[in-house]
Amino acid sequence: DAFVSHSWRDCPDAKWAALQMWREQFTRARGREPRIWVDKYCIDQNSIDTDLRCLPIFLAGCNSLLILCGTTYVSRLWCILEIFSYMMMGGNVEEVDLVPVVTADQGSGCALAVIAASFRSFDANCCECFSPGDKEKMLSVINTAFGGIEEFNVCIADMLRQLQVGGDQTRSPKHLSPFTCECAGSFSSSSDPTDGRVDNALEEDDSD
């Protein structure tokens, strides 16, 4: 049903809470639990070359893109490539659900302002990966496909404008309200024994 795109550097508890809010809306609308694609369980975290080749296939196999967008999301190069690959594989911006991820200590208005500013100032050169080698490989792919980083920046900036958080550009029917949570302890809204495994998959991982 959905490819889950998220930054490993955003608060895992806040992302888990946002995911649960999206899940509740999905189950009310569809009458069943969603099937989601989560990177930690679906790809080899230690094989960047294989992942890059298969990412478009993974995205094309999902009906929608679910973005759990915290304040670090746009700064992670993997996240940007996921958005770009989804759109290039024929994904429709109307099938993208963007859920702002906000922790209680950030405050909804402040966090949304930071997210919106990061969308406006995007530059792939400033994006980060855990491994400098991974960033070098991904930038090489971008250069080959676009002939330069600036051309890629223009393309991504246009996509990000369509997904803009806050202001007049917000597509409120598709975008959920900000969900805040205390970023401490374990969060779960269900007794399903698989929930803990998914929760762990949203925690920080050195592969990003």
Side-chain angles (χ1 to χ4, degrees):
D1 292 306
F3 181 107
V4 179
S5 179
H6 67 103
S7 167
W8 292 103
R9 300 303 171 89
D10 287 326
C11 172
D13 290 331
K15 288 186 292 182
W16 176 242
L19 178 61
Q20 287 296 324
M21 182 180 68
W22 175 86
R23 167 187 167 269
E24 289 169 4
Q25 293 200 6
F26 183 98
T27 54
R28 282 198 300 269
R30 305 289 183 88
R32 64 174 176 82
E33 293 291 335
R35 294 181 295 271
I36 61 175
W37 191 100
V38 180
D39 49 8
K40 192 167 186 177
Y41 296 128
C42 299
I43 61 175
D44 181 357
Q45 297 289 315
N46 297 311
S47 180
I48 182 68
D49 293 328
T50 300
D51 293 349
L52 276 172
R53 288 195 296 269
C54 294
L55 182 60
I57 298 173
F58 298 146
L59 285 155
C62 297
N63 295 328
S64 64
L65 177 64
L66 170 61
I67 299 176
L68 304 180
C69 187
T71 56
T72 75
Y73 183 84
V74 177
S75 71
R76 310 306 296 175
L77 191 54
W78 258 116
C79 297
I80 296 302
L81 284 181
E82 288 169 353
I83 294 176
F84 173 74
S85 297
Y86 178 78
M87 301 301 290
M88 291 299 291
M89 292 300 291
N92 189 328
V93 70
E94 295 301 322
E95 297 303 325
V96 177
D97 285 320
L98 192 152
V99 186
V101 174
V102 182
T103 60
D105 63 316
Q106 292 173 324
S108 176
C110 179
L112 289 178
V114 172
I115 293 171
S118 71
F119 276 34
R120 292 191 297 270
S121 62
F122 171 77
D123 182 350
N125 287 302
C126 298
C127 288
E128 300 174 350
C129 289
F130 175 77
S131 167
D134 289 353
K135 178 175 180 178
E136 183 179 347
K137 289 177 182 178
M138 284 187 272
L139 290 179
S140 176
V141 169
I142 291 170
N143 270 307
T144 299
F146 286 85
I149 297 299
E150 289 307 316
E151 289 78 4
F152 178 74
N153 284 343
V154 171
C155 181
I156 293 298
D158 181 63
M159 292 181 184
L160 292 177
R161 276 194 294 272
Q162 297 180 62
L163 298 173
Q164 183 67 59
V165 178
D168 295 336
Q169 298 182 56
T170 301
R171 295 181 298 107
S172 55
K174 287 294 292 178
H175 291 192
L176 305 180
S177 300
F179 192 103
T180 61
C181 81
E182 295 290 347
C183 193
S186 177
F187 178 93
S188 177
S189 65
S190 164
S191 59
D192 188 325
T194 64
D195 282 351
R197 296 201 297 272
V198 178
D199 193 7
N200 291 336
L202 298 176
E203 292 179 358
E204 183 171 335
D205 187 284
D206 287 345
S207 61
D208 180 30

